[in-house]
Amino acid sequence: MYPSNFDYQRAASVADAIQKGSSDGAKFLAGGHSLLPALKLRLNEPESLVDIARLDALKGISVTGSSVRIGALATHAQIAGSADVKKHAPALASACGQVGDPAVRNRGTLGGNLAHTDPASDPPTVVLALGGKLHLQGSGGNRVVAAEDFFLDLFTTDLHPGELITAVEIPSIGQAKSAYAKMAHPASRYAVVGVCVVLEVSGGKCSKARVAVGGATPKATLSAAAANALVGSSLDTAALDAAAQALSADLSDVMGDVYAPEDYRRAMAGVYLKRAVRAAMG
Amino acid sequence: MKVSIKVNGTLYEREVEPRMLLVHFLREELGLTGTNVGCDTSQCGACNVHLNGQLVKSCTCLAVQADGGEVTTIEGLKSNGHLHPMQEAFWEKHGLQCGFCTPGMIMTSVALLQSNPHPTDEEIRHGLEGNLCRCTGYQNIVAAVKAAAGTK
Ligand SMILES: Cc1cc2nc3c(=O)[nH]c(=O)nc-3n(C[C@H](O)[C@H](O)[C@H](O)COP(=O)(O)OP(=O)(O)OC[C@H]3O[C@@H](n4cnc5c(N)ncnc54)[C@H](O)[C@@H]3O)c2cc1C
Ligand code: FES
Ligand code: FES
């Protein structure tokens, strides 16, 4: 099963990648774990691939001030195993550790995952819940885009043609609690439903909450209604039931397929919200 | 495009089309047919090899991406004419029936023990999540990995 023909170019630098990636029909190639499966099935036939995988400037994970900066080329396995990510963005380490299988995690990158924005992906949901920011670089210069403004629709982001994600910046979780709970498709391991919660708790009561859902929805989506149902409560069973109901009612656009129809995913979103809260409060 | 890839300790230089997958490079250019293709969707793990010490699906990697790298396939596991302990364990524990998934299973299991020398049953099953077997029901595969880890 071969992809159709394409030119292959290896980027020598970030600037070179942007220049090559700006030409018509060009696509960046990072870990290839979304792109190559699509090319093999000929769902996508780019004229040229610009391989960015050897660009050291896009690698590495570091802590600066009160945030953790993850290079676009950091693999799921590197993120899952990083002491810095485990400390400052534990829900992201956990989500990356649940992506696909070990071989997928060795090759797939955070930048490629966010750029591709497969609705069944895990990292977009978590980056959104954690209030992450994407650092982008293109022929028009550099910009920083909040996750809220980055994911636009099914497989659609705010990236301009030829623009690269260079890094993802996640504010440190501090004293807040967080967790990602996922229902994995039994064959592909992609998310059927994934819910990430970030909770601030003081004096036994939830004072602040952020709830993001993916898998079930065309793009990673924040639910203010679910978060509001948690705030002010002691996160007891009644509050979790109310939040689960609020979440299911709040999702305007839920996808369905032969494996998991729309009403099932809608119901599971509530169930996985409860699981995420319980895991966060563990 | 010209690529040079070290496979099982021998350096090979070949002119390949950029669209050639690493698995086809191994099977068709080098005749190393131990690495199998079991699916079109990157899900079965029959093609798993080690690239620069890491487990990868050779059907989801272009040969040009592996340029300059080192690959180990199932053919490269034996040493001095002896099977690798993982191969012995699959044999001993009947960890295979038709054998189609076995090269991928073994490459995955060897990588698993490199990062986690004494896995629990659960860790073995999670570690093998990306490898599908249509014959064995997995039970004896898990037993083989445990035997190889010496955690019977
Ligand atoms: C069997 C299987 C199971 C999987 N299961 C899961 C799962 O459970 N959860 C999950 O979240 N994902 C899953 N994935 C997808 C995996 O996470 C991919 O690795 C990831 O989505 C894409 O990252 P990549 O580096 O491989 O990107 P590539 O495939 O190389 O690229 C993907 C797209 O992003 C663009 N791109 C890549 N890098 C950049 C960049 N830095 N800037 C701008 N554009 C860029 C490319 O041009 C391309 O359009 C699975 C994949 C497979 C094959
Ligand atoms: S042939 Fe590579 S995963 Fe199935
Ligand atoms: S032994 Fe037949 S597929 Fe595993």
mmCIF file of all heavy atoms in Angstrom, chain B residues 54-73:
data_model
loop_
_atom_site.group_PDB
_atom_site.id
_atom_site.type_symbol
_atom_site.label_atom_id
_atom_site.label_comp_id
_atom_site.label_asym_id
_atom_site.label_seq_id
_atom_site.Cartn_x
_atom_site.Cartn_y
_atom_site.Cartn_z
ATOM 1 N N GLN B 54 14.507 2.392 19.256
ATOM 2 C CA GLN B 54 13.104 2.594 19.656
ATOM 3 C C GLN B 54 12.178 1.737 18.827
ATOM 4 O O GLN B 54 12.384 1.560 17.621
ATOM 5 C CB GLN B 54 12.708 4.048 19.411
ATOM 6 C CG GLN B 54 13.078 4.954 20.541
ATOM 7 C CD GLN B 54 12.394 6.290 20.370
ATOM 8 O OE1 GLN B 54 12.148 6.733 19.259
ATOM 9 N NE2 GLN B 54 12.089 6.922 21.477
ATOM 10 N N LEU B 55 11.115 1.278 19.475
ATOM 11 C CA LEU B 55 10.095 0.503 18.769
ATOM 12 C C LEU B 55 9.339 1.406 17.791
ATOM 13 O O LEU B 55 8.818 2.447 18.200
ATOM 14 C CB LEU B 55 9.112 -0.068 19.794
ATOM 15 C CG LEU B 55 8.043 -0.990 19.230
ATOM 16 C CD1 LEU B 55 8.655 -2.322 18.830
ATOM 17 C CD2 LEU B 55 6.927 -1.186 20.248
ATOM 18 N N VAL B 56 9.295 1.030 16.511
ATOM 19 C CA VAL B 56 8.493 1.800 15.540
ATOM 20 C C VAL B 56 7.760 0.852 14.592
ATOM 21 O O VAL B 56 8.192 -0.278 14.370
ATOM 22 C CB VAL B 56 9.339 2.788 14.688
ATOM 23 C CG1 VAL B 56 10.142 3.746 15.545
ATOM 24 C CG2 VAL B 56 10.246 2.055 13.727
ATOM 25 N N LYS B 57 6.659 1.362 14.042
ATOM 26 C CA LYS B 57 5.926 0.618 13.018
ATOM 27 C C LYS B 57 6.587 0.936 11.682
ATOM 28 O O LYS B 57 6.519 2.078 11.219
ATOM 29 C CB LYS B 57 4.465 1.066 12.992
ATOM 30 C CG LYS B 57 3.785 0.910 14.335
ATOM 31 C CD LYS B 57 2.299 1.206 14.270
ATOM 32 C CE LYS B 57 1.773 1.243 15.697
ATOM 33 N NZ LYS B 57 0.407 0.807 15.872
ATOM 34 N N SER B 58 7.208 -0.079 11.072
ATOM 35 C CA SER B 58 7.966 0.219 9.849
ATOM 36 C C SER B 58 7.036 0.513 8.676
ATOM 37 O O SER B 58 7.488 0.969 7.627
ATOM 38 C CB SER B 58 8.927 -0.920 9.514
ATOM 39 O OG SER B 58 8.223 -2.120 9.294
ATOM 40 N N CYS B 59 5.729 0.288 8.843
ATOM 41 C CA CYS B 59 4.771 0.647 7.793
ATOM 42 C C CYS B 59 4.339 2.094 7.928
ATOM 43 O O CYS B 59 3.560 2.595 7.116
ATOM 44 C CB CYS B 59 3.531 -0.234 7.870
ATOM 45 S SG CYS B 59 2.454 0.217 9.250
ATOM 46 N N THR B 60 4.786 2.760 8.993
ATOM 47 C CA THR B 60 4.360 4.147 9.222
ATOM 48 C C THR B 60 5.594 5.019 9.372
ATOM 49 O O THR B 60 5.663 5.917 10.213
ATOM 50 C CB THR B 60 3.408 4.215 10.442
ATOM 51 O OG1 THR B 60 2.429 3.180 10.292
ATOM 52 C CG2 THR B 60 2.678 5.538 10.532
ATOM 53 N N CYS B 61 6.594 4.677 8.554
ATOM 54 C CA CYS B 61 7.855 5.409 8.540
ATOM 55 C C CYS B 61 8.381 5.288 7.119
ATOM 56 O O CYS B 61 8.384 4.190 6.555
ATOM 57 C CB CYS B 61 8.819 4.754 9.537
ATOM 58 S SG CYS B 61 10.443 5.503 9.606
ATOM 59 N N LEU B 62 8.770 6.386 6.534
ATOM 60 C CA LEU B 62 9.354 6.327 5.188
ATOM 61 C C LEU B 62 10.811 5.883 5.301
ATOM 62 O O LEU B 62 11.494 6.217 6.281
ATOM 63 C CB LEU B 62 9.293 7.705 4.535
ATOM 64 C CG LEU B 62 7.897 8.323 4.365
ATOM 65 C CD1 LEU B 62 8.016 9.799 3.957
ATOM 66 C CD2 LEU B 62 7.081 7.535 3.342
ATOM 67 N N ALA B 63 11.288 5.187 4.306
ATOM 68 C CA ALA B 63 12.704 4.818 4.299
ATOM 69 C C ALA B 63 13.566 6.078 4.397
ATOM 70 O O ALA B 63 14.580 6.088 5.108
ATOM 71 C CB ALA B 63 13.042 4.020 3.036
ATOM 72 N N VAL B 64 13.148 7.158 3.743
ATOM 73 C CA VAL B 64 13.954 8.393 3.787
ATOM 74 C C VAL B 64 13.991 8.991 5.196
ATOM 75 O O VAL B 64 14.944 9.686 5.561
ATOM 76 C CB VAL B 64 13.472 9.465 2.779
ATOM 77 C CG1 VAL B 64 13.742 9.006 1.342
ATOM 78 C CG2 VAL B 64 11.987 9.790 2.955
ATOM 79 N N GLN B 65 12.964 8.727 6.008
ATOM 80 C CA GLN B 65 12.997 9.214 7.398
ATOM 81 C C GLN B 65 14.012 8.434 8.222
ATOM 82 O O GLN B 65 14.527 8.940 9.228
ATOM 83 C CB GLN B 65 11.608 9.065 8.067
ATOM 84 C CG GLN B 65 10.558 10.037 7.581
ATOM 85 C CD GLN B 65 9.224 9.756 8.260
ATOM 86 O OE1 GLN B 65 8.566 8.766 7.969
ATOM 87 N NE2 GLN B 65 8.814 10.621 9.169
ATOM 88 N N ALA B 66 14.260 7.192 7.825
ATOM 89 C CA ALA B 66 15.198 6.348 8.576
ATOM 90 C C ALA B 66 16.634 6.519 8.081
ATOM 91 O O ALA B 66 17.550 5.887 8.615
ATOM 92 C CB ALA B 66 14.781 4.884 8.459
ATOM 93 N N ASP B 67 16.824 7.373 7.077
ATOM 94 C CA ASP B 67 18.157 7.595 6.498
ATOM 95 C C ASP B 67 19.158 7.955 7.600
ATOM 96 O O ASP B 67 18.877 8.820 8.433
ATOM 97 C CB ASP B 67 18.052 8.732 5.474
ATOM 98 C CG ASP B 67 19.367 8.993 4.764
ATOM 99 O OD1 ASP B 67 20.205 8.077 4.706
ATOM 100 O OD2 ASP B 67 19.535 10.133 4.271
ATOM 101 N N GLY B 68 20.293 7.272 7.602
ATOM 102 C CA GLY B 68 21.311 7.559 8.611
ATOM 103 C C GLY B 68 21.082 6.803 9.915
ATOM 104 O O GLY B 68 21.882 6.907 10.843
ATOM 105 N N GLY B 69 19.987 6.052 9.981
ATOM 106 C CA GLY B 69 19.637 5.383 11.225
ATOM 107 C C GLY B 69 20.057 3.928 11.279
ATOM 108 O O GLY B 69 20.646 3.388 10.327
ATOM 109 N N GLU B 70 19.773 3.309 12.419
ATOM 110 C CA GLU B 70 20.086 1.890 12.627
ATOM 111 C C GLU B 70 18.808 1.138 12.932
ATOM 112 O O GLU B 70 18.065 1.505 13.838
ATOM 113 C CB GLU B 70 21.031 1.726 13.817
ATOM 114 C CG GLU B 70 22.425 2.207 13.511
ATOM 115 C CD GLU B 70 23.424 1.810 14.595
ATOM 116 O OE1 GLU B 70 23.187 0.783 15.278
ATOM 117 O OE2 GLU B 70 24.414 2.528 14.740
ATOM 118 N N VAL B 71 18.595 0.075 12.171
ATOM 119 C CA VAL B 71 17.372 -0.711 12.320
ATOM 120 C C VAL B 71 17.726 -2.116 12.796
ATOM 121 O O VAL B 71 18.711 -2.699 12.342
ATOM 122 C CB VAL B 71 16.630 -0.792 10.962
ATOM 123 C CG1 VAL B 71 15.402 -1.702 11.063
ATOM 124 C CG2 VAL B 71 16.217 0.598 10.485
ATOM 125 N N THR B 72 16.925 -2.634 13.724
ATOM 126 C CA THR B 72 17.030 -4.052 14.071
ATOM 127 C C THR B 72 15.707 -4.714 13.728
ATOM 128 O O THR B 72 14.639 -4.222 14.124
ATOM 129 C CB THR B 72 17.319 -4.254 15.569
ATOM 130 O OG1 THR B 72 18.483 -3.505 15.907
ATOM 131 C CG2 THR B 72 17.565 -5.724 15.890
ATOM 132 N N THR B 73 15.773 -5.813 12.979
ATOM 133 C CA THR B 73 14.569 -6.581 12.648
ATOM 134 C C THR B 73 14.646 -7.921 13.377
ATOM 135 O O THR B 73 15.655 -8.242 14.006
ATOM 136 C CB THR B 73 14.485 -6.850 11.136
ATOM 137 O OG1 THR B 73 15.522 -7.782 10.794
ATOM 138 C CG2 THR B 73 14.649 -5.578 10.328
#
